[in-house]
Amino acid sequence: MLTKNFTLLVLIFLILILLFGAAEAKDNDVITGDEPMTESFIPEWAKTVVWYQIFPERFRNGDSTNDPKLENIEGSWPHDHISSWQVHPWTSDWYELQPYEKQNKGFYIITDKTISRLSGKIDTEKLKSIKNTNFSPVTLKDKLLDKGFSEADIKIIINNAENDKNIWYDIQRRRYGGDIQGIIDKLDYLQSLGVTAIYLNPIFESPSLHKYDAIMYHHVDANFGPDPVRDRELIKKEVPDDPNTWVMTSADKLFLKLVKEVHKRNMKIIVDGVFNHIGIKNPFFQDVVKNQQKSKYKDWFTVESWADPSKDKEFVYKGWFGVKELPEWGRSANNLLPGPKNYIFNITKRWMDPDGDGNPSDGIDGWRLDVAFCVPHGFWKDWSKHVKSINPDAYMTAEIIDTVEVNKPYLEGDEFTAVMNYNFAFTSSEYFFDEKNRISTTEFDKRLKELREAYKSEVAYGMQNLIDSHDTARLQTMIVNRDVVSYRNWPEYCEKAKGSNPLYDTRKPTEEELKSQRIFALFQMTYLGAPMVYYGDEAGMWGATDPCCRKPMIWDDLKYDDEVYLPDGSRKTEPDRVEVNYELFDHYKKLIAVRNSHKSLQLGDFNSLFIDDKNEIYGFSRKYGDEYIVVILNNSKKEKRAKFTVDLPGKFTDLLNDGSSVTVKGDKILSVSLKSQWGRILILENK
């Protein structure tokens, strides 16, 4: 009896230790990283990389012989493949209309004036239902043909329509010729910067500049490869829903060469998967348009009504958020329908294991999933299993620009490994960029902690910690427009951060303003999670949100025109020089090198050490094994001194500021001076 009681007491004692020990660890706000994590659904490599996002059409033109032709943009917004056009000069002033663009008339609009002028010449009653709508010359002609007008009448109507000429029409028609060869040519540049993982915006066959309206997923865009004409002829011979008929085009092969070259440099690569919708030129959708209910693909889309001229019914289908250029795949309440689902599963394997030998080393290392929140959870769970069956070490990151609560169901281990960490971006901009609306250091630390503790502890290490992307203003332009609009208020931000907003300044930042970028980069490269750089941020690019965040990359072997023009066509008081900012590049290169060479900054724990609201100073430590690093940031515009307790005494060497050192004695009090909007990265030498 005594033995049983003693055993029971020991068990109770052990349980109490576990309970109170767990509570203490949480109270101390420490994420431990001394040992590799077990049973992780986050690939180990994804916790250590530095990401670089590339928008392929705007990164580098490595082969001018494959540049798109006018007919290649048919089907893309604004649906004008007949007006004057050419490949746009890479180094031209972004807001300056080129001669070919000045010949175009922009949108055509049927107004009351148009109808008045045409009264008595044609049947104007049929025009009243399309009044005050923007049409391209192509879409207006199509609409008029639908209404029964003759070619002669159509010509008269178009000649009498009003025009809305603005630069945004022309910018969407621009193509600069970026391609896969250009990315291959610049891999050494990325390696010299310290990049270890690449995320490519969509690369699959599409008429648009952004390629989120894919024609198909099983081929790389022919104009990204060396032989567009022959590639498209080969594609015509395929049965699009039969993988046994799919060929490898020259563009496909060149992309696989890129993958091989990336892996040769010990880097990883993922591509954009746009699995919620497709483009209107997709062969499955085109078959439905042509054959209606008789199409073998009629169940692949959500059709709301079929065309029936006898009843004056039009073909109506569901497009992404009502956008008819982007028909959504058909779905049930919790999955995609079998047709599109099987197609997506087939192309997933095609790009992850191209030769089909069961070894995924020749394929991509994962996916970024566009508008993932629009696709049912059931599909993602099935697809995630499929991906992991091909490559258990694959990375899947989702675009979900929402609250932590919305993100949580996606990050339980059975769907995605990460999300693009926009909440990190929002919080960082509120502390490092905002002035009038700046959050306190205490609030900054609190919000970061909430993000770290929102998911399983391992998740934070694999999150893509970005500040900007192809959907936002560039970080330099965020700084110029600090306090104009809250980045966190996404719908309002997307409207107010546009170049078309006269209150949103599109100029180049000053040297003083660049200090905010430098200190943010310092934090980004030392914080917990995988930092991501949007192409050109390291070179000094700026721009408002889409499309102005998608300018051609700045390269040091090209001479660029100054930016002289404003979005409204007027001229700036002073031109902005467009050139590589070498000092900024070196800053990023140094910080990335520090991160890449220290496990504590990649896998280490995180512990807040010093929070000073008055002086805007933030200090934290990162520890992994015997490596211990303390980071101190002065976010104020004045030189400050910080004095606080660290975990360990000894000699600390500054990894950022030319190897200067500071000694912490037995009292563990660290005292350092800090330049304005700058910091220190101190590593303990005697451990």
Side-chain angles (χ1 to χ4, degrees):
M1 186 70 178
L2 179 62
T3 303
K4 288 183 179 179
N5 288 339
F6 179 78
T7 303
L8 182 61
L9 287 170
V10 170
L11 286 171
I12 292 171
F13 180 72
L14 290 173
I15 291 169
L16 288 171
I17 288 175
L18 288 171
L19 288 173
F20 284 103
E24 183 179 1
K26 184 176 181 182
D27 289 342
N28 285 341
D29 184 26
V30 176
I31 293 181
T32 58
D34 287 351
E35 300 295 334
M37 297 167 189
T38 57
E39 298 182 6
S40 172
F41 64 89
I42 314 296
E44 283 298 313
W45 66 262
K47 304 168 189 173
T48 65
V49 295
V50 175
W51 288 99
Y52 192 90
Q53 179 186 351
I54 293 177
F55 198 84
E57 214 278 324
R58 301 292 162 83
F59 189 62
R60 178 76 173 187
N61 189 340
D63 181 3
S64 60
T65 66
N66 67 11
D67 286 353
K69 303 291 190 291
L70 179 57
E71 61 267 23
N72 299 139
I73 73 171
E74 182 181 356
S76 65
W77 179 261
H79 300 292
D80 183 359
H81 58 277
I82 61 174
S83 297
S84 178
W85 187 88
Q86 68 176 61
V87 173
H88 207 80
W90 193 278
T91 59
S92 58
D93 181 347
W94 177 252
Y95 290 121
E96 180 181 11
L97 291 176
Q98 295 298 303
Y100 81 91
E101 293 174 310
K102 293 178 181 178
Q103 299 176 37
N104 302 330
K105 294 184 177 181
F107 289 109
Y108 288 73
I109 309 170
I110 304 298
T111 66
D112 287 330
K113 288 184 179 179
T114 307
I115 292 173
S116 178
R117 284 195 296 266
L118 294 174
S119 181
K121 300 178 182 177
I122 62 169
D123 182 2
T124 56
E125 280 298 315
K126 292 191 291 185
L127 293 178
K128 291 180 180 179
S129 63
I130 59 170
K131 274 198 320 179
N132 302 321
T133 302
N134 284 355
F135 293 99
S136 75
V138 175
T139 57
L140 178 55
K141 182 176 180 179
D142 289 344
K143 180 61 71 174
L144 294 174
L145 285 171
D146 287 344
K147 290 188 170 295
F149 287 103
S150 67
E151 290 282 351
D153 285 346
I154 290 172
K155 186 174 182 180
I156 294 172
I157 294 168
I158 288 177
N159 288 338
N160 282 275
E162 304 294 321
N163 291 103
D164 178 15
K165 172 71 171 175
N166 63 65
I167 193 168
W168 311 110
Y169 182 96
D170 295 293
I171 283 179
Q172 294 294 346
R173 298 182 75 236
R174 290 179 183 174
R175 303 292 185 272
Y176 287 83
D179 50 33
I180 299 297
Q181 187 60 52
I183 300 172
I184 293 174
D185 292 345
K186 288 301 178 179
L187 286 178
D188 289 344
Y189 166 86
L190 297 179
Q191 191 170 33
S192 73
L193 180 61
V195 169
T196 51
I198 297 168
Y199 151 43
L200 295 182
N201 283 102
I203 58 169
F204 301 131
E205 181 76 0
S206 158
S208 70
L209 64 96
H210 51 74
K211 311 212 174 296
Y212 282 97
D213 55 345
I215 294 175
M216 60 192 71
Y217 303 144
H218 62 281
H219 287 300
V220 171
D221 190 276
N223 290 108
F224 282 168
D227 195 349
V229 174
R230 177 169 169 74
D231 281 359
R232 291 189 172 109
E233 287 300 316
L234 288 172
I235 292 170
K236 287 179 182 177
K237 299 176 183 179
E238 297 176 340
V239 178
D241 62 342
D242 182 0
N244 294 319
T245 68
W246 296 351
V247 297
M248 279 288 177
T249 65
S250 67
D252 298 337
K253 292 174 183 177
L254 188 64
F255 172 66
L256 294 181
K257 179 183 177 182
L258 167 63
V259 173
K260 184 177 181 179
E261 290 296 321
V262 166
H263 289 164
K264 188 188 297 183
R265 292 167 173 79
N266 295 316
M267 299 161 71
K268 302 289 186 179
I269 185 168
I270 67 173
V271 300
D272 227 316
V274 189
F275 299 153
N276 177 70
H277 51 261
I278 201 77
I280 54 175
K281 293 192 71 178
N282 168 259
F284 310 132
F285 182 72
Q286 285 293 311
D287 191 89
V288 174
V289 172
K290 178 181 178 182
N291 297 308
Q292 295 287 293
Q293 298 99 315
K294 296 179 181 179
S295 171
K296 62 184 288 191
Y297 308 111
K298 62 184 175 62
D299 295 327
W300 285 41
F301 304 92
T302 302
V303 178
E304 296 172 352
S305 72
W306 299 100
D308 188 346
S310 65
K311 296 180 180 179
D312 201 26
K313 278 191 173 183
E314 294 185 350
F315 174 53
V316 180
Y317 55 92
K318 186 177 180 182
W320 179 66
F321 281 94
V323 178
K324 293 304 182 183
E325 284 84 1
L326 304 173
E328 288 194 325
W329 291 120
R331 62 203 63 196
S332 63
N334 200 36
N335 219 314
L336 293 188
L337 294 181
K341 182 177 180 178
N342 290 337
Y343 176 64
I344 293 168
F345 273 45
N346 285 329
I347 68 93
T348 298
K349 186 167 185 178
R350 176 178 173 86
W351 297 117
M352 294 188 69
D353 183 13
D355 61 9
D357 66 350
N359 181 352
S361 62
D362 55 337
I364 60 173
D365 301 290
W367 300 82
R368 179 266 190 186
L369 292 315
D370 184 58
V371 296
F373 59 95
C374 296
V375 179
H377 282 282
F379 172 80
W380 290 131
K381 293 180 192 300
D382 293 344
W383 182 77
S384 178
K385 290 178 185 176
H386 180 59
V387 167
K388 291 173 183 175
S389 72
I390 301 167
N391 182 359
D393 217 23
Y395 181 78
M396 294 165 280
T397 182
E399 180 200 27
I400 307 169
I401 308 173
D402 214 317
T403 64
V404 163
E405 290 303 316
V406 174
N407 285 339
K408 279 184 178 180
Y410 297 96
L411 296 171
E412 294 294 324
D414 59 349
E415 294 190 35
F416 305 121
T417 43
V419 298
M420 297 178 74
N421 202 356
Y422 276 96
N423 285 306
F424 167 85
F426 300 155
T427 300
S428 297
S429 70
E430 288 160 349
Y431 185 64
F432 293 108
F433 301 166
D434 289 356
E435 286 187 346
K436 294 178 183 177
N437 302 320
R438 176 171 294 178
I439 59 176
S440 67
T441 307
T442 297
E443 184 63 22
F444 180 56
D445 180 67
K446 175 187 172 186
R447 293 185 185 183
L448 291 175
K449 180 181 178 182
E450 288 171 351
L451 291 178
R452 290 194 302 274
E453 295 182 351
Y455 320 104
K456 297 176 182 179
S457 60
E458 62 181 351
V459 172
Y461 288 87
M463 295 286 256
Q464 285 183 315
N465 286 347
L466 74 159
I467 189 66
D468 56 353
S469 74
H470 63 291
D471 285 327
T472 76
R474 284 188 174 271
L475 76 90
Q476 289 197 359
T477 302
M478 291 182 193
I479 295 166
V480 168
N481 292 275
R482 54 176 112 232
D483 300 314
V484 170
V485 61
S486 169
Y487 192 8
R488 189 180 295 273
N489 188 347
W490 185 251
E492 182 184 16
Y493 172 82
C494 290
E495 285 301 313
K496 290 189 175 179
K498 290 181 177 179
S500 56
N501 177 9
L503 300 179
Y504 202 74
D505 199 338
T506 58
R507 65 170 171 80
K508 183 178 183 177
T510 64
E511 279 301 312
E512 185 65 25
E513 288 167 332
L514 285 180
K515 290 181 179 179
S516 296
Q517 179 175 0
R518 293 189 182 97
I519 190 173
F520 164 73
L522 198 168
F523 171 69
Q524 183 187 31
M525 297 301 164
T526 55
Y527 186 62
L528 187 150
M532 183 158 72
V533 178
Y534 184 45
Y535 82 96
D537 281 353
E538 80 286 357
M541 292 181 67
W542 67 90
T545 192
D546 172 22
C548 305
C549 54
R550 304 172 180 183
K551 296 177 184 178
M553 175 67 176
I554 301 175
W555 297 110
D556 60 5
D557 62 339
L558 300 175
K559 182 175 174 54
Y560 294 77
D561 295 342
D562 291 347
E563 284 200 2
V564 175
Y565 288 90
L566 292 166
D568 63 4
S570 62
R571 297 174 71 96
K572 299 180 180 181
T573 305
E574 293 290 335
D576 286 324
R577 180 68 59 86
V578 179
E579 59 187 355
V580 174
N581 185 327
Y582 294 103
E583 184 182 349
L584 190 61
F585 176 87
D586 289 341
H587 179 61
Y588 272 84
K589 182 176 181 178
K590 184 173 186 176
L591 289 170
I592 293 172
V594 169
R595 183 179 184 88
N596 286 344
S597 57
H598 293 90
K599 286 291 184 184
S600 59
L601 296 179
Q602 300 171 333
L603 299 171
D605 68 13
F606 181 92
N607 191 11
S608 299
L609 294 176
F610 188 62
I611 300 168
D612 185 340
D613 289 341
K614 180 179 179 182
N615 292 298
E616 297 182 284
I617 299 174
Y618 187 49
F620 58 88
S621 66
R622 304 293 310 277
K623 185 176 183 295
Y624 187 82
D626 290 335
E627 187 176 80
Y628 181 66
I629 288 179
V630 174
V631 179
I632 316 106
L633 305 172
N634 174 14
N635 197 35
S636 76
K637 293 189 176 181
K638 293 182 180 180
E639 187 168 332
K640 302 284 185 179
R641 175 163 286 277
K643 187 176 181 181
F644 57 95
T645 302
V646 294
D647 299 314
L648 298 168
K651 181 182 177 181
F652 287 81
T653 299
D654 195 329
L655 299 172
L656 180 64
N657 298 291
D658 301 321
S660 60
S661 63
V662 58
T663 299
V664 175
K665 298 181 180 179
D667 60 5
K668 300 182 184 178
I669 300 297
L670 173 67
S671 180
V672 291
S673 61
L674 299 162
K675 294 179 181 178
S676 65
Q677 293 184 277
W678 196 241
R680 290 174 177 260
I681 306 173
L682 303 175
I683 185 168
L684 181 63
E685 294 293 351
N686 62 349
K687 275 284 180 183

